[in-house]
Amino acid sequence: MLPASTSLAASASVELNALVADIQLLPEGYGPTSIWGFDGTAPGPEIRLAQGSRLQRRLVNSLPEPTSIHWHGVRIDNAMDGVSGLTQNAVPSGETFEYDFVVRDAGTYWYHAHNKSFEQVARGLSGALIIEEPDEVDVDREEVLILDDWLLDPDTAQIVGDFAAPHAMSHGGRIGNYITTNSVYNLALDARQNERLRLRLINASNARIFPLRLDGLQGWTVALDGMPLVKPLPITDTIVLGPAQRIDLIVDVVASEGETAHVVHLGQGDAFSQVAFEVRAGGAVKRRGVPSPLPPNALSMVDLGKARAMSLTMEGGAMGGLRSATLGGDSKSIGEIVDAGRFWAFNGAADGMDGPAFAELSQGEHVRIAIANDTVFPHAMHLHGMHFYEIGNDGNLGALRDTTLIERGDTREIAFVADNPGKWLLHCHMLSHAASGMSTWIDVA
Ligand code: C2O
Ligand code: CU
């Protein structure tokens, strides 16, 4: 039974009101943009809690259609996971739903609508969820930077409405024409020389992969998808942030007073400033030493030797050569699949939501899944409810993640302990892909 929404105003929780609202998204001179946002803002309000505490929010749905909230990356009770149609019914307009769960892990997470996500997230329904470590991290300050893109009509300043456009679904997903940080174009912040910043980067876009470089900033990667690295990793190269991924950096401002440091977005050909840090007077004379690692979260270690091995082959899309797949239990031609609005298949099924991808996993079982990207597009595969280790080319356990970016033609193996019971979605976080064949789920019982 799915938990029902309530119309009672009985609990003490804070409201999170999903609203239609106007915000000034384009620069002054353009008109306001009508968005859907939590509390009428985009990004929604930052939710910040201490590790181990309870998150309590009453979703109030003031939108013209049903919605739900998913707490991306949180190892959560299944009933609170917010997946409409799998873990709860979508909350109808005018109704409410109580989210109430304990946040076990510190780190950088985010929350977003999970009903028709390809439309509702594109309209603005997302926000940062920050879970703080018990002890303060040794930095001067931190910045939460939500990277996003919007598909806007510059004449009207409105969001382009064809969310289910077949071209976006069958190609790289819905890509915006207006790139923002915290909904600001060319965000500029103040900084001081040798100031130490913790940057929490969140990719909230529908489908854009952000390749980033630091200029006038030097530092370390300290966490991926919320989970601390064992050792801070010096940043020497391009940082790639796929849809839904997060990265925590500790950086020092090495640019001098009067200069500007940047998080640079490496676009196709034209690099531009994603975030600028204008270096003001009053810096420190010296840089600090190497930071300590963030304290680890308590996750089960996988024993690859006893892990059950499974595979998931991703096929389809434009130029993908998919000829047939199952839909509603029957084998269908590619033409019939496309007529049904599907362009992709997982293990030969274009309707992976009809049943779990694999035979039931028993709670505590160790598993490894080889995910093969047999398409000509990259995909950002996300598992709900449990973080997984990426398995490196050396066959060893790599970083813990909840979303893994798999380039065309590549296979990525992931491994995890199935220690969280329930039905957990496994899907591409290019949200147009998720809506057109790239969604399935696993069942941990
Ligand atoms: Cu970020 Cu299925 O979600
Ligand atoms: Cu995809």
Side-chain angles (χ1 to χ4, degrees):
M1 256 244 316
L2 298 174
S5 54
T6 53
S7 305
L8 305 169
S11 107
S13 66
V14 178
E15 287 190 353
L16 203 51
N17 197 343
L19 284 171
V20 180
D22 279 345
I23 65 167
Q24 188 64 40
L25 189 56
L26 285 168
E28 294 300 334
Y30 288 88
T33 301
S34 175
I35 58 133
W36 294 4
F38 292 109
D39 290 357
T41 65
E46 178 181 298
I47 300 176
R48 190 174 275 267
L49 292 169
Q51 182 174 14
S53 61
R54 261 167 86 183
L55 187 155
Q56 294 174 287
R57 285 292 182 283
R58 178 188 305 130
L59 166 63
V60 179
N61 184 7
S62 306
L63 302 172
E65 64 178 40
T67 194
S68 64
I69 306 178
H70 171 56
W71 313 90
H72 185 116
V74 177
R75 297 192 298 141
I76 200 170
D77 286 343
N78 194 249
M80 294 287 114
D81 199 39
V83 179
S84 68
L86 188 68
T87 68
Q88 68 169 89
N89 293 314
V91 181
S93 303
E95 295 196 25
T96 67
F97 188 91
E98 305 288 338
Y99 290 99
D100 184 350
F101 52 92
V102 172
V103 287
R104 292 186 278 173
D105 302 314
T108 302
Y109 304 94
W110 65 301
Y111 63 96
H112 61 79
H114 214 301
N115 187 48
K116 289 174 69 188
S117 317
F118 64 98
E119 170 174 347
Q120 296 194 356
V121 174
R123 289 187 183 274
L125 288 164
S126 66
L129 170 57
I130 307 299
I131 313 300
E132 293 184 328
E133 298 82 11
D135 296 319
E136 232 174 277
V137 174
D138 183 23
V139 294
D140 294 315
R141 68 173 218 264
E142 70 166 59
E143 296 288 348
V144 177
L145 302 170
I146 303 179
L147 314 185
D148 203 351
D149 66 355
W150 304 81
L151 190 54
L152 299 177
D153 177 343
D155 293 329
T156 62
Q158 299 311 308
I159 295 170
V160 175
D162 61 341
F163 299 100
H167 187 274
M169 285 189 163
S170 59
H171 289 71
R174 181 181 165 100
I175 302 288
N177 55 2
Y178 187 62
I179 297 178
T180 57
T181 307
N182 301 342
S183 292
V184 176
Y185 179 69
N186 278 357
L187 179 69
L189 303 169
D190 282 355
R192 313 247 176 284
Q193 189 172 22
N194 290 324
E195 192 175 18
R196 177 158 282 185
L197 311 173
R198 177 183 190 166
L199 305 181
R200 299 180 184 259
L201 274 57
I202 301 170
N203 182 346
S205 73
N206 274 46
R208 181 179 292 273
I209 298 166
F210 284 84
L212 306 167
R213 259 185 199 272
L214 303 181
D215 177 24
L217 303 168
Q218 278 177 17
W220 298 263
T221 300
V222 293
L224 294 169
D225 294 351
M227 295 298 168
L229 300 189
V230 179
K231 226 175 112 207
L233 188 70
I235 302 162
T236 53
D237 215 339
T238 305
I239 294 164
V240 177
L241 206 60
Q245 292 187 318
R246 288 89 61 215
I247 189 168
D248 283 46
L249 310 177
I250 289 182
V251 298
D252 297 330
V253 178
V254 296
S256 315
E257 184 182 329
E259 295 181 341
T260 303
H262 299 275
V263 173
V264 179
H265 182 139
L266 303 172
Q268 268 135 2
D270 50 335
F272 62 91
S273 177
Q274 179 78 40
V275 186
F277 296 86
E278 291 164 358
V279 185
R280 309 287 179 203
V285 283
K286 265 184 44 197
R287 275 188 75 178
R288 307 194 203 182
V290 178
S292 313
L294 298 173
N297 292 312
L299 270 80
S300 321
M301 185 59 81
V302 179
D303 180 348
L304 285 176
K306 68 174 192 195
R308 175 166 139 204
M310 296 176 291
S311 61
L312 186 74
T313 301
M314 316 167 74
E315 295 172 283
M319 301 160 284
L322 183 69
R323 298 185 162 266
S324 65
T326 56
L327 198 59
D330 302 322
S331 177
K332 303 271 183 183
S333 71
I334 185 66
E336 292 170 302
I337 293 163
V338 166
D339 285 345
R342 306 295 169 93
F343 299 94
W344 311 91
F346 282 167
N347 285 349
D351 51 3
M353 289 310 293
D354 286 356
F358 310 107
E360 191 175 279
L361 305 175
S362 42
Q363 196 178 340
E365 191 171 358
H366 293 223
V367 292
R368 54 197 293 172
I369 308 176
I371 307 174
N373 179 358
D374 199 2
T375 80
V376 301
F377 296 93
H379 301 285
M381 288 294 291
H382 170 47
L383 176 64
H384 285 220
M386 287 157 287
H387 274 63
F388 51 79
Y389 295 87
E390 290 180 335
I391 301 182
N393 293 332
D394 56 4
N396 294 324
L397 295 182
L400 272 168
R401 303 215 72 133
D402 58 53
T403 306
T404 185
L405 187 61
I406 310 172
E407 294 299 329
R408 60 183 284 182
D410 277 2
T411 297
R412 163 88 17 81
E413 223 187 331
I414 65 170
F416 58 98
V417 179
D419 55 7
N420 201 356
K423 295 183 165 97
W424 302 109
L425 214 56
L426 173 63
H427 66 95
C428 179
H429 222 287
M430 274 93 173
L431 299 172
S432 312
H433 295 173
S436 58
M438 286 203 158
S439 294
T440 187
W441 49 282
I442 64 169
D443 195 0
V444 180

